[in-house]
């Protein structure tokens, strides 16, 4: 009786195991298929611009004139590539110090109520839809910039400011995770040597967790690079390299979202937009590669 | 512990099933639609009420009107299911040309978008002009200008004139708020107000939606742009064009030239269900009701008509 019971339990366990394993393999397989097909789709559509002979790769990447609907269309995407990098780096520059300070505050300065207060706020920030950020940018940041600086407020600076708020939670949460996972004895030995809290933070904690914090910064930049809607609303979308921070410019994503619906599939304009999507995808790969690289350094 | 495990398992499984169902749904939906579209004539010709499903996609400018009319149509014809999607004129034309949808909504003639290699696709499409949209030149309220001539507008939009005082207004820099190069509204404005295609200028601003354009023009000192007549209110100033006020009556009589048709394209002649829906669009009830209510101009009231080349003839 007892042996039988054991036997059946054993079988049930096996069945469960089998179901679990096949379900998991199915999920993994699905994921791989989805990723491969997406990469294939974007790549095949993206290279059609160059295959059809409308534009060469270097004309596309380094050309500065974008007028796809003109009599003799030209497809130079350089202003958008430059715009994307510009807003991304500016946003990271604004957001990184703020995020690192917030993370330090949460983990080192006031771990108790500081974390209880900040964590939900930061989670809230990451949950707000990007169209809301765009609208706040349009209603608050743009008029502020217009009244304070020369120009119309719309432009690279507005885009970078909106983006910096959007990537704040990403960097903060990764940095906070890294800081809280730091071995306690490192801090304790630093204090034992007579170091102050500031000395401990600046000489011990930050240098040790820097690769992990950088991972957060790169992840934030990846998000900033791919963000479309909020930036599109405040950046102005003129296809030029901006001469000042307060002048209208474009990013890859803003041009894609503006043009995709209004062009017909297979037209040269539409193909050029897909090529931009390909550039965006390749950039995402670069960001992921960077994160991997940092993670490897982190382990040592 | 075990309870929790199985619970998580169930949750994960349901989500995957739901996902799979979603995936299936879209494919069968498209297929089903085509099937329904071909079946519909036989059902309708047998004397029964019209039934079937219609899928429309395209122009976001036309979308609210089509949605409202579709809802009314479905109330009286309970056997019909109409779905309206946005996506833009280009998407609508592509999808109707590839028979993915029954109706492709567009702000521009199909021939203007489907060019060169796709020209034969445009030839297969049948045009149904359901409404007209008038487009007005709009400025910030404090520019001191009440009207501009065609030449003055061309000078502004090509960057020759950069200050309002050069066209009789305040001493203020002109800020152009444009639509993206592929926009149907921009194409209409360029061909009928400016008479030429313009290049984007350094420092000009492009916004995609009419709502944002209105907000920007109302808030930016010295701004100029263009908006559909239905968007006009006190926050912006609509100025006259060559001395003609942009108004619905002036569009109808043909005095004000900056307007465009809203097209609903079908691939070949529409089947009975789609035809019934498009016919309903042209009834007085819709033309003088919903069309006017949502700020469009009834196509049936127009005293002039215009062809693809832009030749205007009096009806």
């Amino acid at each position: 009786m007892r042996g039988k019971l054991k036997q059946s339990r054993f079988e049930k366990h096996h069945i469960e195991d089998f179901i679990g394993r096949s379900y998991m393999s199915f999920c993994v397989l699905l994921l791989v298929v989805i990723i491969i097909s997406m990469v294939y789709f974007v790549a095949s559509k993206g290279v059609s611009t160059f295959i059809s002979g409308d534009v060469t790769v270097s004309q596309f990447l380094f050309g500065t004139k974008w007028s796809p609907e003109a009599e003799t269309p030209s497809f130079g995407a350089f202003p958008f590539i430059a715009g994307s990098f510009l807003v991304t780096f500016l946003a990271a520059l604004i957001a990184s110090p703020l995020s690192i300070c917030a993370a330090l505050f949460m983990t080192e300065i006031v771990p108790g109520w500081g974390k209880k207060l900040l964590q939900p706020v930061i989670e809230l920030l990451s949950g707000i839809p990007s169209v809301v950020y765009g609208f706040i940018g349009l209603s608050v940041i743009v008029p502020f910039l217009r009244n304070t600086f020369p120009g119309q407020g719309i432009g690279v600076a507005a885009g970078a400011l909106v983006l910096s708020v959007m990537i704040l939670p990403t960097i903060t949460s990764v940095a906070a995770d890294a800081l809280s996972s730091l071995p306690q004895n490192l801090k304790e030995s630093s204090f034992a040597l007579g170091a102050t809290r500031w000395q401990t933070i600046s000489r011990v904690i930050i240098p040790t967790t820097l690769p992990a914090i950088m991972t957060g910064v790169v992840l934030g930049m990846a998000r900033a690079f791919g963000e479309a809607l909020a930036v599109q609303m405040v950046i102005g979308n003129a296809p030029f390299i901006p001469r000042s921070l307060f002048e209208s410019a474009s990013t890859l994503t803003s041009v894609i979202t503006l043009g995709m619906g209004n062009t017909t599939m297979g037209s040269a304009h539409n193909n050029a937009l897909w090529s931009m999507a390909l550039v965006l995808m390749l950039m995402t790969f670069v960001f992921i590669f960077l994160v991997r690289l940092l993670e490897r350094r982190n382990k040592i | 512990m075990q309870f929790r495990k199985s619970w998580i398992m169930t949750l994960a499984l349901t989500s995957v099933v739901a996902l799979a169902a979603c995936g299936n749904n879209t494919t069968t939906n498209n297929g089903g639609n085509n099937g329904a579209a071909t079946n519909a004539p036989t059902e309708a010709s047998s004397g029964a009420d019209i039934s079937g499903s219609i899928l429309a996609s395209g122009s976001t400018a036309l979308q609210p009107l089509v949605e409202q009319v579709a809802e009314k149509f479905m109330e009286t014809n309970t056997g019909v299911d109409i779905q309206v999607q946005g996506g833009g004129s280009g998407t609508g034309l592509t999808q109707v040309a590839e028979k993915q949808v029954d109706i492709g909504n567009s702000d521009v003639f199909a021939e203007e978008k489907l060019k060169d290699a796709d020209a034969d696709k445009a030839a297969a499409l049948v045009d149904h002009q359901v409404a007209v949209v008038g487009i007005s030149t709009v400025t910030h309220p404090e520019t001191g200008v009440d009207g501009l001539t065609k030449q003055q507008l061309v000078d502004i939009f090509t960057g020759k004139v950069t200050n309002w005082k050069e066209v009789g207004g305040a001493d203020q820099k002109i800020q152009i708020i444009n639509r993206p190069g592929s926009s149907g509204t921009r194409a209409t404005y360029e061909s009928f107000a400016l008479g030429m295609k313009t290049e984007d200028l350094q420092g000009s601003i492009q916004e995609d939606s009419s709502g944002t354009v209105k907000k920007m023009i109302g808030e930016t000192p010295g701004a100029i742009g263009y908006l559909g007549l239905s968007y006009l209110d006190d926050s912006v100033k609509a100025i006259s064009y060559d001395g003609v006020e942009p108004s619905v009556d002036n569009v109808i009589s043909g005095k004000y030239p900056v307007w465009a048709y809203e097209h609903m394209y079908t691939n070949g002649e529409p089947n009975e269900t789609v035809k019934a829906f498009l016919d309903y669009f042209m009834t007085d009830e819709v033309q003088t009701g919903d069309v006017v209510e949502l700020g469009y101009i009834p196509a049936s009231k127009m005293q002039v008509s215009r062809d693809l080349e832009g030749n205007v003839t009096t009806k």
Side-chain angles (χ1 to χ4, degrees):
Chain A
M1 184 67 192
R2 205 171 175 172
K4 219 179 179 181
L5 198 74
K6 242 184 186 170
Q7 181 91 27
S8 71
R9 241 190 208 167
F10 185 65
E11 275 170 3
K12 197 181 166 209
H13 168 81
H14 264 268
I15 292 167
E16 274 177 353
D17 206 39
F18 176 74
I19 293 174
R21 203 167 35 198
S22 16
Y23 171 62
M24 225 168 261
S25 332
F26 170 73
C27 286
V28 170
L29 206 70
L30 193 73
L31 208 67
V32 171
V33 168
I34 288 173
I35 291 169
I36 289 176
S37 47
M38 269 168 71
V39 171
Y40 172 75
F41 182 71
V42 175
S44 65
K45 295 222 70 156
V47 295
S48 62
T49 313
F50 310 119
I51 289 173
S52 69
D54 292 333
V55 209
T56 64
V57 179
S58 65
Q59 271 174 347
F60 179 77
L61 288 180
F62 303 111
T64 51
K65 188 167 163 40
W66 173 260
S67 52
E69 301 280 320
E71 289 295 321
T72 44
S74 46
F75 300 96
F78 186 70
F80 315 137
I81 298 172
S84 276
F85 275 105
L86 198 58
V87 287
T88 304
F89 281 117
L90 280 174
L93 216 61
I94 300 168
S96 304
L98 290 172
S99 312
I100 294 168
C101 288
L104 279 172
F105 184 81
M106 270 159 59
T107 51
E108 305 298 329
I109 317 279
V110 219
W113 65 262
K115 196 173 172 116
K116 265 187 208 136
L117 186 84
L118 265 177
Q119 190 101 36
V121 173
I122 282 159
E123 277 161 14
L124 199 74
L125 274 184
S126 66
I128 295 173
S130 56
V131 65
V132 175
Y133 280 109
F135 193 74
I136 293 173
L138 208 56
S139 323
V140 182
I141 294 175
V142 168
F144 169 74
L145 292 175
R146 182 163 53 222
N147 297 333
T148 334
F149 297 99
Q152 298 295 358
I154 269 192
V156 179
L161 279 173
V162 168
L163 273 181
S164 65
V165 183
M166 294 180 75
I167 65 175
L168 210 75
T170 315
I171 308 180
T172 309
S173 48
V174 174
D177 278 350
L179 289 173
S180 56
S181 67
L182 193 74
Q184 199 65 27
N185 54 14
L186 264 179
K187 265 188 284 175
E188 277 159 8
S189 32
S190 171
F191 287 136
L193 285 170
T196 61
R197 186 151 73 175
W198 171 244
Q199 283 168 330
T200 309
I201 289 174
S202 63
R203 308 266 171 85
V204 178
I205 296 175
I206 301 238
T208 352
T209 51
L210 198 63
I213 293 176
M214 285 309 291
T215 309
V217 174
V218 174
L219 282 173
M221 281 168 72
R223 183 167 182 211
F225 205 80
E227 168 51 40
L229 197 58
V231 179
Q232 184 215 301
M233 285 169 85
V234 298
I235 199 168
N237 309 307
F240 293 96
I241 301 167
R243 291 169 299 201
S244 87
L245 287 182
F246 307 103
E247 194 176 76
S248 171
S250 298
T251 63
L252 289 165
T253 46
S254 75
V255 175
I256 294 173
T257 47
L258 284 178
M260 203 53 107
N262 287 323
T263 53
T264 49
M265 280 274 184
S267 62
H269 189 171
N270 192 272
N271 283 341
L273 295 178
W274 281 105
S275 303
M276 282 189 220
L278 181 63
V279 173
L280 268 175
M281 197 174 71
L282 293 177
M283 272 314 297
T284 316
F285 290 161
V286 170
F287 281 123
I288 291 169
F289 178 72
L290 276 178
V291 169
R292 294 271 134 198
L293 220 63
L294 285 165
E295 265 175 10
R296 198 184 299 161
R297 234 190 92 193
N298 203 10
K299 269 178 203 141
I300 300 164
Chain B
M1 187 63 200
Q2 209 181 8
F3 167 73
R4 196 190 279 169
K5 241 188 202 163
S6 64
W7 200 80
I8 291 171
M9 197 68 179
T10 330
L11 201 78
L13 265 175
T14 25
S15 66
V16 160
V17 169
L19 263 174
C22 276
N24 274 336
N25 238 339
T26 36
T27 43
T28 48
N29 224 346
N30 277 336
N33 258 309
N34 288 339
T38 39
N39 284 337
T42 47
E43 279 173 41
S45 56
S46 64
D49 280 339
I50 340 161
S51 65
S53 62
I54 303 173
L55 187 61
S57 80
S59 163
T60 44
L62 188 53
Q63 194 180 0
L65 177 65
V66 181
E67 272 171 358
Q68 183 166 324
V69 175
E71 228 150 78
K72 273 184 149 180
F73 186 74
M74 284 188 286
E75 265 169 34
T76 42
N77 300 278
T78 45
V80 183
D81 175 45
I82 305 174
Q83 279 186 44
V84 188
Q85 297 167 357
S89 302
T91 307
L93 289 169
T94 309
Q95 289 188 327
V96 76
E98 286 168 2
K99 299 193 175 172
Q100 289 167 349
V101 296
D102 305 301
I103 300 173
N105 300 327
S106 172
D107 305 331
V108 292
F109 282 98
E111 288 83 352
E112 295 175 54
K113 285 273 178 199
L114 297 163
K115 280 184 280 198
D116 308 327
D118 294 327
D120 51 325
K121 280 187 191 165
L125 299 181
V126 180
D127 189 5
H128 307 271
Q129 297 161 348
V130 293
V132 166
V133 178
I135 296 163
S136 167
T137 311
V138 171
T139 67
H140 186 264
E142 283 151 27
T143 53
V145 169
D146 292 319
L148 291 169
T149 63
K150 179 176 176 176
Q151 189 55 45
Q152 284 173 324
L153 284 173
V154 169
D155 288 345
I156 289 173
F157 279 92
T158 52
K160 243 186 243 166
V161 168
T162 54
N163 195 306
W164 281 107
K165 71 176 177 200
E166 292 172 64
V167 288
D171 181 8
Q172 198 172 40
K173 200 173 167 288
I174 295 177
Q175 175 63 51
I176 299 171
I177 316 263
N178 226 329
R179 298 292 292 273
S182 53
S183 146
T185 309
R186 174 158 168 181
T188 306
Y189 189 77
E190 285 183 342
S191 21
F192 302 114
L194 307 177
M196 59 180 288
K197 271 194 177 294
T198 57
E199 301 260 316
D200 294 309
L201 299 173
Q202 176 122 28
S204 70
I205 293 168
Q206 288 178 36
E207 292 292 344
D208 194 28
S209 76
S210 297
T212 318
V213 169
K214 188 174 102 178
K215 188 173 159 63
M216 288 306 307
I217 293 177
E219 289 177 358
T220 313
I224 185 171
Y226 38 88
L227 278 173
L229 292 182
S230 57
Y231 284 94
L232 300 181
D233 62 19
D234 290 341
S235 66
V236 293
K237 183 167 165 186
I239 61 170
S240 65
Y241 174 77
D242 276 341
V244 185
E245 288 296 320
S247 70
V248 171
D249 289 339
N250 284 343
V251 172
I252 288 177
S253 66
K255 269 192 219 156
Y256 185 78
V258 194
W259 54 270
Y261 289 113
E262 291 290 354
H263 310 261
M264 291 174 80
Y265 279 100
T266 53
N267 199 330
E269 284 303 323
N271 65 52
E272 293 237 348
T273 318
V274 177
K275 190 171 186 313
F277 178 51
L278 291 172
D279 285 344
Y280 176 65
F281 240 105
M282 297 311 288
T283 58
D284 261 0
E285 183 194 348
V286 173
Q287 288 284 311
T288 54
D290 307 77
V291 171
V292 178
E293 188 187 311
L294 290 180
Y296 305 83
I297 300 165
S300 58
K301 293 278 177 296
M302 290 296 289
Q303 289 162 13
V304 291
S305 65
R306 187 157 64 198
D307 63 8
L308 174 60
E309 277 80 39
N311 304 315
V312 178
T313 44
T314 320
K315 270 188 197 170

